[in-house]
């Protein structure tokens, strides 16, 4: 068990969300579900890529906002496309690789190449890559690399 895990507050959709997330990510699994007095799921444990989560059906008092997001580090454009497309279903895209899924949870779908482009040895190239990123919704590694290279 992880020392620190994440609890996500839902308004009745914890089981649906856990199923959605575990079907989206390859290395994921469902855990225990604790039922409330009404016989419905109160908490749902699940794991995504080795990280433990608990979905809590806490009601409408709180909702997600962009102050907290989950970052998905992607090794290829194919991975960026896969997670962007899957998590965006029923959700809303934003800027710079951010989106909200259908439950309102914010995600950042980020190519691992971004670190090298934004903090690369060429400060002018990094600035061009940053400017290109600021114009994007879903991040495109090739476009970012061309911007860095000055093409």
């Amino acid at each position: 068990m992880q020392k620190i895990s994440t609890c996500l507050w839902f308004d009745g959709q914890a089981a649906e969300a856990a199923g959605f997330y575990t079907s989206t990510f390859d290395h994921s699994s469902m855990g225990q579900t604790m039922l409330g007095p009404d016989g419905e799921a109160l908490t749902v444990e699940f794991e995504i890529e080795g990280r433990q989560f608990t979905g809590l059906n806490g009601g409408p008092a709180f909702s997600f906002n962009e102050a907290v997001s989950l970052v998905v580090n992607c090794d290829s454009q194919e991975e960026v496309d896969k997670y962007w497309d899957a998590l965006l279903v029923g959700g809303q895209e934003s800027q710079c690789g951010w989106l909200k899924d259908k439950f309102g949870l914010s995600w950042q779908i980020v190519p691992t190449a971004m670190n090298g482009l934004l903090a690369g040895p060429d400060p002018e190239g990094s600035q061009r890559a940053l400017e290109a990123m600021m114009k994007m919704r879903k991040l495109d590694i090739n476009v970012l690399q061309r911007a860095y290279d000055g093409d």
Side-chain angles (χ1 to χ4, degrees), residues 122-136:
D122 176 5
E124 292 174 358
S126 293
Q127 183 61 38
R128 288 190 302 269
L130 177 64
E131 289 170 6
M133 180 192 74
M134 297 300 286
K135 297 174 185 170
M136 294 181 182

PDB file of all heavy atoms in Angstrom, residues 122-136:
ATOM      1  N   ASP A 122      19.338  25.365 -26.228  1.00  0.00           N
ATOM      2  CA  ASP A 122      19.140  26.550 -27.064  1.00  0.00           C
ATOM      3  C   ASP A 122      17.988  27.381 -26.489  1.00  0.00           C
ATOM      4  O   ASP A 122      16.821  27.041 -26.697  1.00  0.00           O
ATOM      5  CB  ASP A 122      18.825  26.122 -28.502  1.00  0.00           C
ATOM      6  CG  ASP A 122      18.499  27.283 -29.417  1.00  0.00           C
ATOM      7  OD1 ASP A 122      18.608  28.461 -28.989  1.00  0.00           O
ATOM      8  OD2 ASP A 122      18.120  27.023 -30.584  1.00  0.00           O
ATOM      9  N   PRO A 123      18.283  28.462 -25.755  1.00  0.00           N
ATOM     10  CA  PRO A 123      17.211  29.262 -25.135  1.00  0.00           C
ATOM     11  C   PRO A 123      16.215  29.824 -26.150  1.00  0.00           C
ATOM     12  O   PRO A 123      15.020  29.888 -25.873  1.00  0.00           O
ATOM     13  CB  PRO A 123      17.944  30.383 -24.414  1.00  0.00           C
ATOM     14  CG  PRO A 123      19.369  29.984 -24.355  1.00  0.00           C
ATOM     15  CD  PRO A 123      19.600  28.984 -25.443  1.00  0.00           C
ATOM     16  N   GLU A 124      16.687  30.215 -27.312  1.00  0.00           N
ATOM     17  CA  GLU A 124      15.782  30.740 -28.336  1.00  0.00           C
ATOM     18  C   GLU A 124      14.873  29.632 -28.868  1.00  0.00           C
ATOM     19  O   GLU A 124      13.687  29.853 -29.109  1.00  0.00           O
ATOM     20  CB  GLU A 124      16.567  31.400 -29.458  1.00  0.00           C
ATOM     21  CG  GLU A 124      17.258  32.684 -29.015  1.00  0.00           C
ATOM     22  CD  GLU A 124      18.167  33.269 -30.095  1.00  0.00           C
ATOM     23  OE1 GLU A 124      18.292  32.662 -31.178  1.00  0.00           O
ATOM     24  OE2 GLU A 124      18.746  34.332 -29.838  1.00  0.00           O
ATOM     25  N   GLY A 125      15.435  28.440 -29.039  1.00  0.00           N
ATOM     26  CA  GLY A 125      14.633  27.299 -29.468  1.00  0.00           C
ATOM     27  C   GLY A 125      13.587  26.942 -28.430  1.00  0.00           C
ATOM     28  O   GLY A 125      12.437  26.651 -28.761  1.00  0.00           O
ATOM     29  N   SER A 126      13.979  26.995 -27.165  1.00  0.00           N
ATOM     30  CA  SER A 126      13.031  26.716 -26.075  1.00  0.00           C
ATOM     31  C   SER A 126      11.902  27.737 -26.074  1.00  0.00           C
ATOM     32  O   SER A 126      10.735  27.387 -25.857  1.00  0.00           O
ATOM     33  CB  SER A 126      13.748  26.722 -24.726  1.00  0.00           C
ATOM     34  OG  SER A 126      14.638  25.647 -24.637  1.00  0.00           O
ATOM     35  N   GLN A 127      12.231  28.991 -26.325  1.00  0.00           N
ATOM     36  CA  GLN A 127      11.208  30.039 -26.378  1.00  0.00           C
ATOM     37  C   GLN A 127      10.251  29.793 -27.540  1.00  0.00           C
ATOM     38  O   GLN A 127       9.038  29.943 -27.395  1.00  0.00           O
ATOM     39  CB  GLN A 127      11.852  31.417 -26.485  1.00  0.00           C
ATOM     40  CG  GLN A 127      10.861  32.563 -26.465  1.00  0.00           C
ATOM     41  CD  GLN A 127      10.045  32.623 -25.177  1.00  0.00           C
ATOM     42  OE1 GLN A 127      10.548  32.365 -24.093  1.00  0.00           O
ATOM     43  NE2 GLN A 127       8.771  32.953 -25.304  1.00  0.00           N
ATOM     44  N   ARG A 128      10.797  29.394 -28.696  1.00  0.00           N
ATOM     45  CA  ARG A 128       9.935  29.103 -29.848  1.00  0.00           C
ATOM     46  C   ARG A 128       9.023  27.914 -29.550  1.00  0.00           C
ATOM     47  O   ARG A 128       7.829  27.925 -29.891  1.00  0.00           O
ATOM     48  CB  ARG A 128      10.781  28.820 -31.095  1.00  0.00           C
ATOM     49  CG  ARG A 128      11.449  30.049 -31.683  1.00  0.00           C
ATOM     50  CD  ARG A 128      12.067  29.752 -33.034  1.00  0.00           C
ATOM     51  NE  ARG A 128      13.055  28.693 -32.996  1.00  0.00           N
ATOM     52  CZ  ARG A 128      14.367  28.856 -32.791  1.00  0.00           C
ATOM     53  NH1 ARG A 128      14.863  30.084 -32.601  1.00  0.00           N
ATOM     54  NH2 ARG A 128      15.191  27.822 -32.788  1.00  0.00           N
ATOM     55  N   ALA A 129       9.558  26.880 -28.902  1.00  0.00           N
ATOM     56  CA  ALA A 129       8.749  25.712 -28.538  1.00  0.00           C
ATOM     57  C   ALA A 129       7.647  26.102 -27.549  1.00  0.00           C
ATOM     58  O   ALA A 129       6.505  25.651 -27.673  1.00  0.00           O
ATOM     59  CB  ALA A 129       9.633  24.605 -27.963  1.00  0.00           C
ATOM     60  N   LEU A 130       7.990  26.952 -26.597  1.00  0.00           N
ATOM     61  CA  LEU A 130       6.998  27.424 -25.627  1.00  0.00           C
ATOM     62  C   LEU A 130       5.888  28.205 -26.327  1.00  0.00           C
ATOM     63  O   LEU A 130       4.694  27.995 -26.059  1.00  0.00           O
ATOM     64  CB  LEU A 130       7.665  28.295 -24.561  1.00  0.00           C
ATOM     65  CG  LEU A 130       6.732  28.926 -23.524  1.00  0.00           C
ATOM     66  CD1 LEU A 130       6.043  27.856 -22.691  1.00  0.00           C
ATOM     67  CD2 LEU A 130       7.506  29.894 -22.631  1.00  0.00           C
ATOM     68  N   GLU A 131       6.262  29.081 -27.232  1.00  0.00           N
ATOM     69  CA  GLU A 131       5.270  29.862 -27.970  1.00  0.00           C
ATOM     70  C   GLU A 131       4.373  28.957 -28.810  1.00  0.00           C
ATOM     71  O   GLU A 131       3.158  29.178 -28.886  1.00  0.00           O
ATOM     72  CB  GLU A 131       5.959  30.908 -28.839  1.00  0.00           C
ATOM     73  CG  GLU A 131       6.574  32.029 -28.023  1.00  0.00           C
ATOM     74  CD  GLU A 131       7.476  32.954 -28.834  1.00  0.00           C
ATOM     75  OE1 GLU A 131       7.549  32.811 -30.077  1.00  0.00           O
ATOM     76  OE2 GLU A 131       8.118  33.836 -28.222  1.00  0.00           O
ATOM     77  N   ALA A 132       4.951  27.923 -29.411  1.00  0.00           N
ATOM     78  CA  ALA A 132       4.153  26.973 -30.194  1.00  0.00           C
ATOM     79  C   ALA A 132       3.202  26.210 -29.277  1.00  0.00           C
ATOM     80  O   ALA A 132       2.021  26.012 -29.609  1.00  0.00           O
ATOM     81  CB  ALA A 132       5.065  26.004 -30.945  1.00  0.00           C
ATOM     82  N   MET A 133       3.679  25.785 -28.110  1.00  0.00           N
ATOM     83  CA  MET A 133       2.848  25.045 -27.161  1.00  0.00           C
ATOM     84  C   MET A 133       1.659  25.887 -26.710  1.00  0.00           C
ATOM     85  O   MET A 133       0.544  25.379 -26.582  1.00  0.00           O
ATOM     86  CB  MET A 133       3.667  24.615 -25.948  1.00  0.00           C
ATOM     87  CG  MET A 133       2.861  23.832 -24.928  1.00  0.00           C
ATOM     88  SD  MET A 133       3.699  23.617 -23.352  1.00  0.00           S
ATOM     89  CE  MET A 133       3.553  25.272 -22.674  1.00  0.00           C
ATOM     90  N   MET A 134       1.885  27.181 -26.484  1.00  0.00           N
ATOM     91  CA  MET A 134       0.826  28.054 -25.987  1.00  0.00           C
ATOM     92  C   MET A 134      -0.327  28.198 -26.989  1.00  0.00           C
ATOM     93  O   MET A 134      -1.434  28.571 -26.611  1.00  0.00           O
ATOM     94  CB  MET A 134       1.394  29.434 -25.641  1.00  0.00           C
ATOM     95  CG  MET A 134       2.432  29.412 -24.528  1.00  0.00           C
ATOM     96  SD  MET A 134       1.810  28.768 -22.973  1.00  0.00           S
ATOM     97  CE  MET A 134       0.812  30.128 -22.430  1.00  0.00           C
ATOM     98  N   LYS A 135      -0.092  27.882 -28.252  1.00  0.00           N
ATOM     99  CA  LYS A 135      -1.125  27.973 -29.282  1.00  0.00           C
ATOM    100  C   LYS A 135      -1.884  26.653 -29.469  1.00  0.00           C
ATOM    101  O   LYS A 135      -2.845  26.596 -30.225  1.00  0.00           O
ATOM    102  CB  LYS A 135      -0.504  28.388 -30.612  1.00  0.00           C
ATOM    103  CG  LYS A 135       0.129  29.764 -30.572  1.00  0.00           C
ATOM    104  CD  LYS A 135       0.839  30.060 -31.867  1.00  0.00           C
ATOM    105  CE  LYS A 135       1.585  31.386 -31.778  1.00  0.00           C
ATOM    106  NZ  LYS A 135       2.466  31.602 -32.920  1.00  0.00           N
ATOM    107  N   MET A 136      -1.431  25.593 -28.812  1.00  0.00           N
ATOM    108  CA  MET A 136      -1.999  24.258 -29.028  1.00  0.00           C
ATOM    109  C   MET A 136      -3.028  23.899 -27.977  1.00  0.00           C
ATOM    110  O   MET A 136      -3.039  24.435 -26.880  1.00  0.00           O
ATOM    111  CB  MET A 136      -0.885  23.201 -28.966  1.00  0.00           C
ATOM    112  CG  MET A 136       0.118  23.287 -30.042  1.00  0.00           C
ATOM    113  SD  MET A 136       1.342  21.959 -29.827  1.00  0.00           S
ATOM    114  CE  MET A 136       2.421  22.316 -31.183  1.00  0.00           C
TER     115      MET A 136
END
